[in-house]
Amino acid sequence: MAMGPMLGGNRRGRRSPMAEINVTPMVDVMLVLLIIFMVTAPLLVAGVPVDLPDSKAGALDQEQKPVQISIGPSGAIFVDETPVPAEGLGARLAGIAASSREEGGPRIFLRADRGLDYGRVMGVMGEINAAGLRKVALVSTQGPDG
């Protein structure tokens, strides 16, 4: 414990304890721990290495990429960055649904410009539904509140 200044002659060399706490070492330790956790956190995602048995079963298609449908500010429709005319959208979506082995079709990500008419977006969603695609997610950006 740190000691204060020397007192008068009647105490003969005894020092009084300081009432202040130095927080600088504690802050240094906390910063080092923060850096350690920031470096090691991405390493915790890795799984445990396991020697799995062999099987004749095929692998599950978990890496299937979702189909992205975008509606630009001018109303142009894109399926996976390929422009599609509005009258050809139904046929293109029916082809996607027919080529899928999953029930309800592949996952669809629908992106629409915020300035578009609500009816335009609902028309595209109607085409998606009419093609038999049921796994639709509307994509947005995270707002300032959360």
Side-chain angles (χ1 to χ4, degrees), residues 67 69 79-80 91-100 105-106 108 133:
V67 176
I69 300 175
V79 176
D80 286 333
R92 177 76 186 267
L93 293 174
I96 291 172
S99 66
S100 175
I108 305 290
L133 301 170

Side-chain angles (χ1 to χ4, degrees), residues 10 13 23 34 44 48 51-52 60-61 74 91 121 123 129 132 136 142:
N10 63 353
V23 295
L34 177 67
L44 297 177
V48 177
D51 189 14
L52 296 174
L60 295 176
D61 189 15
S74 63
V121 177
N129 191 16
V136 180
Q142 187 173 7

Side-chain angles (χ1 to χ4, degrees), residues 70-93:
S70 303
I71 309 172
S74 63
I77 301 171
F78 298 88
V79 176
D80 286 333
E81 300 178 10
T82 305
V84 176
E87 50 278 349
L89 181 62
R92 177 76 186 267
L93 293 174

Side-chain angles (χ1 to χ4, degrees), residues 49-59:
V50 177
D51 189 14
L52 296 174
D54 294 328
S55 173
K56 293 185 188 262

Side-chain angles (χ1 to χ4, degrees), residues 41 67 107 120 122 141:
V67 176
R107 181 167 300 279
R120 179 79 172 136
M122 288 308 297
T141 57

Side-chain angles (χ1 to χ4, degrees), residues 1-7 13-19:
M1 181 183 291
M3 298 304 220
M6 297 286 285
L7 295 179
R14 288 190 171 178
R15 296 181 179 200
S16 64
M18 277 180 51

